[in-house]
Amino acid sequence: MPHKNHNYEKESEKFYDNIAQRFDHSFDGFLASFFKKFIIKHLEVPKDASILDIGCANGTLLSMLSKQTKIFGAGLDISSEMVKIASQRHPQFEFKQGSAEAVPFPKDNFDIIICSASFHHFPHPDRFLDEASRLLKQDGRLVIAEIHIPVVAKLYNWRLNRFSTEGDVKVYQPKELVNLFQEEGWKIVKRKIFLQIQYYELQKL
């Protein structure tokens, strides 16, 4: 449950608006690059797939995917500054500002939805999973690449709730995510855990 003293989406919006211009050279951008590379390595993308990147930042992941095969790309980010930069850098894709819990795209619109190092920012992950189900075409895939902190997760989450101003809600243990996906009616079709990354490809049951 969201912590009562946080407005996570507002915190995320403010933080990423402030670092948007220097995101690629920031600590957050540095960490995000590892998740992007992991996705590029493990995700099989069919030609002409329609892809939505949730928490797209400056659009780099869509650009990386488009170098592998032809795609129709769209991105969503909570930060209007990130969306502005993404639109300038990658005009071939469509970018929108908004919440992952109320995504401003029509239903049955995407073959693949990607959420790279963003899921831990969502105050109500069940609402995001409902939105992903609405947005995906039949047999579409939801890809979630998340932080993996196996030993000190409880301490880390306590620190987030107490001190973080970046919109981080919590980091999840793999068992928590597996249970959440099952409770919300998703089937895990691929799962990998490597160092600080946990990776899931999901389909709606």
Side-chain angles (χ1 to χ4, degrees), residues 157-205:
N157 284 329
W158 174 85
R159 184 181 180 279
L160 287 182
N161 271 323
R162 189 74 182 271
F163 301 111
S164 177
T165 59
E166 299 177 16
D168 299 289
V169 178
K170 66 173 290 185
V171 296
Y172 295 85
Q173 296 285 35
K175 185 177 180 180
E176 288 181 287
L177 285 181
V178 169
N179 289 340
L180 176 62
F181 299 151
Q182 290 176 345
E183 288 169 3
E184 296 298 321
W186 293 85
K187 174 178 68 175
I188 299 173
V189 295
K190 184 184 288 188
R191 177 188 178 193
K192 294 181 180 292
I193 297 178
F194 180 73
L195 299 178
Q196 269 63 60
I197 297 175
Q198 47 182 325
Y199 173 90
Y200 304 87
E201 292 184 23
L202 310 169
Q203 284 187 326
K204 191 68 176 177
L205 291 171

Side-chain angles (χ1 to χ4, degrees), residues 23-142:
F23 178 72
D24 289 335
H25 305 289
S26 70
F27 182 69
D28 284 68
F30 173 72
L31 290 181
S33 68
F34 290 98
F35 288 84
K36 293 179 176 68
K37 291 172 185 176
F38 195 90
I39 290 168
I40 293 296
K41 181 177 180 180
H42 294 284
L43 177 61
E44 296 179 13
V45 178
K47 186 179 179 182
D48 295 327
S50 54
I51 300 177
L52 173 62
D53 183 13
I54 298 282
C56 64
N58 56 24
T60 298
L61 179 57
L62 288 174
S63 178
M64 293 168 70
L65 290 166
S66 70
K67 291 175 182 175
Q68 291 190 320
T69 189
K70 182 183 176 184
I71 65 170
F72 298 94
L76 178 87
D77 202 273
I78 198 73
S79 163
S80 59
E81 290 300 313
M82 284 289 198
V83 167
K84 188 185 301 181
I85 292 169
S87 299
Q88 291 169 350
R89 290 187 183 181
H90 312 288
Q92 71 272 35
F93 304 130
E94 181 181 9
F95 295 97
K96 293 186 179 182
Q97 189 272 341
S99 167
E101 298 178 3
V103 181
F105 285 99
K107 67 178 183 178
D108 304 326
N109 202 46
F110 297 101
D111 299 297
I112 300 171
I113 295 175
I114 301 174
C115 180
S116 175
S118 297
F119 193 81
H120 61 281
H121 284 278
F122 302 159
H124 307 95
D126 55 330
R127 295 180 189 174
F128 164 70
L129 292 172
D130 286 344
E131 277 293 83
S133 178
R134 180 183 69 82
L135 292 160
L136 282 172
K137 299 176 183 178
Q138 187 173 5
D139 298 323
R141 279 177 290 163
L142 171 60

Side-chain angles (χ1 to χ4, degrees), residues 1-13 78 120-123 160-161 164 166-170:
M1 291 291 292
H3 193 279
K4 65 181 180 180
N5 294 325
H6 284 278
N7 185 326
Y8 292 105
E9 290 191 333
K10 286 295 183 184
E11 290 175 10
S12 292
E13 182 179 10
I78 198 73
H120 61 281
H121 284 278
F122 302 159
L160 287 182
N161 271 323
S164 177
E166 299 177 16
D168 299 289
V169 178
K170 66 173 290 185

